[in-house]
Structure formats: structure tokens, C-alpha cells
Amino acid sequence: MSSGGNGFFDLPSDLQHSYAGLIGVHLEESLIPVAIGLAVSLPLAQACVRFRWLYPPVLWITTILYAIPSIAFFVFLIDYTGDSATTVIIPLTVYSLVILLPSIVDGVRSVPPETLAAAEAMGFNSFQRYFQVELPMAVPAIFAGLRVATVSSISLVSVGTIIGNQGGLGNLLGDALAYHRSNLAVTSVVSIAVLGVVMDLLLIGLRTLLTPWMPRGRKAARRAGLAAAVEPDGPARAESAARLEGAAK
Amino acid sequence: MNIFHFINVFFSDNAHWHGYAGIPHRLEEHLGYTFEALAIAAVIALPIGLITGHTGRGGNALALVATAGRALPSYGLLVLMFFWLGIGLVPVMIPLVALAVPPMLVTSYEAIRTVDPAPVDAARGMGMGPVAVLFQVEVPASLPLILSGFRSAAIQVVSTAAIAATVSLGRYIVDGLYQRNYATVVGGATLIALLALAMVGLIWLVERVVVSPGVRRSN
């Protein structure tokens, strides 16, 4: 890779990272928030399921936090966390939490009462019941949230370039403007979009591995769709799909 | 030195309430961009969502488009459009419309597709054509969900219009950032967050007015 060239992958030296290095930084800054968000929202969602009065105020607070634009969030944090990756990671963690929490609550709530009763009859305590029944049954819903959170986190990291070199692949945008090289912007946008789609596909694969009981393939999916039409939980499913769409910024 | 101090400094400064860079003018710009982007996105997304939802076909393609749309970084798109189209209305509109289309598309598809099949069958049995079934049964029944897609899109567009910093309330954030003037940054962010919540309220009002009382859900 020659420096000072004008190709799509001739990166200016002020980036201090190779292309692969930028991808690494980008993944770090986008996936750590999703992981923390998941770690926080699992117990929080469990608390919201157990104490129903807790859910509406928690949802309201998260909605308000979600309405704060990412750039404002970043800039405000500079005062406390400096020009560091933490400044990007904290807001993205909050956004991930906002997306994940409702999907986990919906997922755990949608476990049929007969299933829970069966687990109880088999002598499961509440701890076993949560980890062996409720959580696995909620995996499809959790992954629906995880996919949206991951893709939107990957696309949002790029805003970090505005606060100074903290945007991963988005830093290419800052340099594109500084050196007036539009091809760097193309590289940035295409790389981020591809990264998002690839991570989405990986999550779909992981979900398939984690839910061996789910119907596979076209025919099975159609049969499952038919079963859903006979026994419709349609509005609830559409409602959670709609909420998930409150996702990408 | 806390948020409320900054908010107080920003909003009590008289200079922020007048002229081209004043709050009323910036608010008007921000709202203009938001409504325009939402309107364009609705014109694109609604017909596709309604038709695919009605026929039940193309769900996978739709999910693919939504994921791809979500993966596109709005700020990156803005920078790219700035290179290709220069400064103006269109380069700002494209990222905002790209942002608003996926939620509208997916929710309107899901909303129509998951309408209770019983009334749809009844309407067909009464001799309604596909257009009548769609607009007299399916759309009214799924209006709350379709509007929730609008709500998601509105929150995102309001908060992302901030990156279009040559205009809109985002100007406060970017100017404040370069001047290290946190009162301006926090003030701008507060205005945008309030505006996003106001949009949620507005759509709630629209829902109260246009959704048939029989359909309106109790929660």
C-alpha cells in the first residue's frame, strides 16, 4: 500500500491504522457496546418481567435517552471521558440497551404458561426455569433485537469521527473531507455497510445453531407460518417487530 | 458544572432567541427537514409495504432491504452526498430518507400481513375486491402499527437531522463542539431530544384522531 496515493485503499498516514486495523477498531467500538448492553439488559429485563410496574418507567427513561442524538451524546461525554473509545462506547451501549430490553422482555413474556407449568411440575426451581426454559425460548426474540442493535451500532460508530479520531472506519470520512478525497468516503460507507450485513448474517447463523428446535428451510417455514395463522399471536409479533424498528439511527 | 447548569445558560441567553441563528428559526428548519424526509419516505415505503403485506409475498426481499438500509451509516452517506452533489437540500434529504424508509417499510408490511384473517375473509365473502379489502379492512385494522413505524422513523430522523449541521438544530451541537462551548452543545441536544419526544406526542394525537375506536387497543 503506497502512501499519498489516490486509490480507495491508500489511507492517509494520520489515521494511524491500516485498513484491517480500522476494521478491528470499528468492530471493537461497535460490538463491545452491544455485549455490555446485552449483559445489562438480561437481568434488567428479568426484573421488568417479575415486577410489572417497573417496565413502563424503564421504557420511558430509555426512550428519552434514545432521543438524544449520538453526536450530542458523544460531545457531552468528552468532558468526562476525554477523546477516547469510551466516549463512543457509552452512548452506543445505551442505544443497544434500548433496543434489546423490549425484545428480551417480550421474548420471556411470550413463553406459554403451560411450558412454565410443565417446568414447575418437573421440579425446576426459578433459577433452573429461567436458564433452561425461559431464556432458550426467548432466543429468537433476543436475536431479533441483537441483530438490529448490532447493525445500528456498526453504522453509528462512524459519527465518532466528528469528536476526533474515534469513528473506526468512519475516520475515513473525516480524512475524506480534510483532503477532499471522495474515494475515501466511498471506502468508508461501503465497508461499514458490508460489515453490518456480514455481522447480521453471522447472527442469523448463530441463532440457527442455538435454536435446533426451530423449523428449518422454506417448507418448514411455510408450515410454521400456517400454524401461526391458525393460532394467531399476530398483533403481538407485529408489535414487537414494530418496536424493533425503533432501532437504527 | 452539570447538565442543568448548561441548559440554564443556553436557554437564558437572550441572543439565542432571535435572528437567523436563533432557536425559533433553527427549530423551524429542523422541523421542515424532518417532515419533508418523512413525507418522501412515506411515499416510497407505504405503497410497497401495503402491497407486499397484502399479497404476503416479498417478505424476505423486504427484510434484506431493511437490513441494508440500516447498515448504511447516515453520516457517511451525508459526506458522500456532499462530494457528489455539493451543499444543498438533496444531499441532506437522501440520508434522512434512507433512514426513515426501513422502519416504515417493515412495520407496514408486518402490520398488514398480521391482520386477523377472519374479518379479511368475511370482507372477501361479502364480495369486496382486493383494493377494497386493503383500504377498507386491512389498513384501518393495522393503522396503530403502521403509525408506530412512523413514530420510530420520526424519532430517528429528528435525532439524525442533527448531523446535517449546516442547518437545523445540529448547528448548535457542531458549533458548540468547535468552540468547546458545552452550554450550546447541551442546549442543542436538549432541543432535539424534546423535539423527538414532541413527535412521539404528535403521532399519539394523530392516532387518537384517525384510528377507529373499535380498533384502538386498550393499552
Side-chain angles (χ1 to χ4, degrees):
Chain A
M1 204 178 290
S2 66
S3 60
N6 274 322
F8 285 97
F9 294 97
D10 294 331
L11 309 188
S13 58
D14 64 317
L15 285 174
Q16 299 181 350
H17 286 286
S18 63
Y19 181 67
L22 284 178
I23 292 181
V25 173
H26 199 99
L27 283 178
E28 197 180 303
E29 287 187 358
S30 56
L31 297 186
I32 289 177
V34 179
I36 303 175
L38 184 64
V40 175
S41 53
L42 276 174
L44 192 57
Q46 192 56 20
C48 288
V49 171
R50 178 148 298 187
F51 310 104
R52 279 177 163 267
W53 54 266
L54 196 62
Y55 193 39
V58 167
L59 263 190
W60 263 106
I61 293 168
T62 52
T63 306
I64 292 171
L65 286 173
Y66 195 73
I68 303 173
S70 51
I71 169 172
F73 219 144
F74 293 166
V75 170
F76 179 67
L77 281 174
I78 292 181
D79 232 17
Y80 301 94
T81 52
D83 182 5
S84 69
T86 320
T87 310
V88 174
I89 286 174
I90 292 173
L92 293 187
T93 303
V94 172
Y95 296 147
S96 301
L97 189 69
V98 176
I99 298 166
L100 286 169
L101 188 71
S103 62
I104 297 176
V105 170
D106 287 348
V108 173
R109 272 189 188 165
S110 67
V111 177
E114 308 90 77
T115 312
L116 296 180
E120 204 172 322
M122 285 169 70
F124 281 26
N125 60 33
S126 58
F127 189 77
Q128 284 173 312
R129 200 178 71 172
Y130 178 64
F131 281 101
Q132 294 182 24
V133 182
E134 289 177 311
L135 206 51
M137 296 276 289
V139 160
I142 295 174
F143 266 71
L146 217 47
R147 285 173 59 191
V148 174
T150 305
V151 175
S152 84
S153 187
I154 287 174
S155 109
L156 267 181
V157 167
S158 54
V159 181
T161 184
I162 298 179
I163 60 163
N165 242 7
Q166 294 300 336
L169 286 161
N171 289 346
L172 289 167
L173 297 168
D175 273 12
L177 288 172
Y179 304 124
H180 211 83
R181 284 179 53 191
S182 64
N183 52 8
L184 290 181
V186 174
T187 308
S188 174
V189 170
V190 173
S191 307
I192 292 169
V194 169
L195 206 58
V197 172
V198 167
M199 288 309 296
D200 192 51
L201 291 175
L202 284 178
L203 283 174
I204 294 176
L206 187 61
R207 183 199 57 197
T208 315
L209 285 178
L210 285 176
T211 54
W213 66 86
M214 294 277 285
R216 301 265 166 85
R218 250 160 213 278
K219 236 180 216 169
R222 205 174 302 141
R223 230 180 294 131
L226 221 62
V230 175
E231 213 172 330
D233 66 329
R237 192 149 39 88
E239 173 68 47
S240 59
R243 206 173 300 134
L244 280 176
E245 279 304 322
K249 276 206 185 189
Chain B
M1 292 291 265
N2 60 45
I3 302 182
F4 297 105
H5 168 74
F6 287 131
I7 291 176
N8 190 31
V9 168
F10 180 77
F11 287 102
S12 58
D13 185 346
N14 228 349
H16 284 140
W17 290 98
H18 304 285
Y20 185 76
I23 293 170
H25 181 250
R26 292 284 183 225
L27 204 60
E28 190 191 315
E29 277 178 335
H30 205 106
L31 273 176
Y33 275 71
T34 301
F35 281 123
E36 193 167 333
L38 287 175
I40 296 172
V43 168
I44 298 170
L46 273 188
I48 302 175
L50 295 186
I51 292 169
T52 48
H54 179 74
T55 58
R57 276 185 213 140
N60 289 336
L62 216 97
L64 201 72
V65 170
T67 304
R70 215 181 281 129
L72 281 174
S74 301
Y75 178 62
L77 220 49
L78 182 74
V79 171
L80 204 55
M81 291 306 144
F82 161 74
F83 276 116
W84 288 347
L85 305 171
I87 294 174
L89 180 69
V90 180
V92 176
M93 267 314 138
I94 288 175
L96 293 183
V97 170
L99 188 71
V101 162
M104 287 185 181
L105 200 58
V106 172
T107 34
S108 58
Y109 167 80
E110 273 298 312
I112 296 288
R113 206 178 58 100
T114 51
V115 169
D116 187 355
V120 176
D121 284 344
R124 285 214 187 92
M126 285 167 67
M128 281 191 187
V131 177
V133 168
L134 180 60
F135 285 102
Q136 292 178 27
V137 182
E138 290 175 325
V139 170
S142 56
L143 213 47
L145 271 173
I146 294 176
L147 283 173
S148 80
F150 266 77
R151 188 180 52 211
S152 309
I155 294 179
Q156 292 167 42
V157 169
V158 166
S159 112
T160 306
I163 61 172
T166 50
V167 289
S168 85
L169 295 166
R171 190 62 190 264
Y172 291 125
I173 295 174
V174 173
D175 284 354
L177 170 60
Y178 283 113
Q179 298 160 1
R180 296 267 146 178
N181 180 348
Y182 289 105
T184 311
V185 174
V186 173
T190 309
L191 281 170
I192 292 167
L194 288 177
L195 196 59
L197 292 175
M199 293 294 286
V200 174
L202 178 71
I203 287 169
W204 181 80
L205 274 180
V206 170
E207 189 175 336
R208 299 299 291 184
V209 174
V210 300
V211 173
S212 143
V215 173
R216 203 177 295 149
R217 283 161 306 164
S218 50
N219 53 1

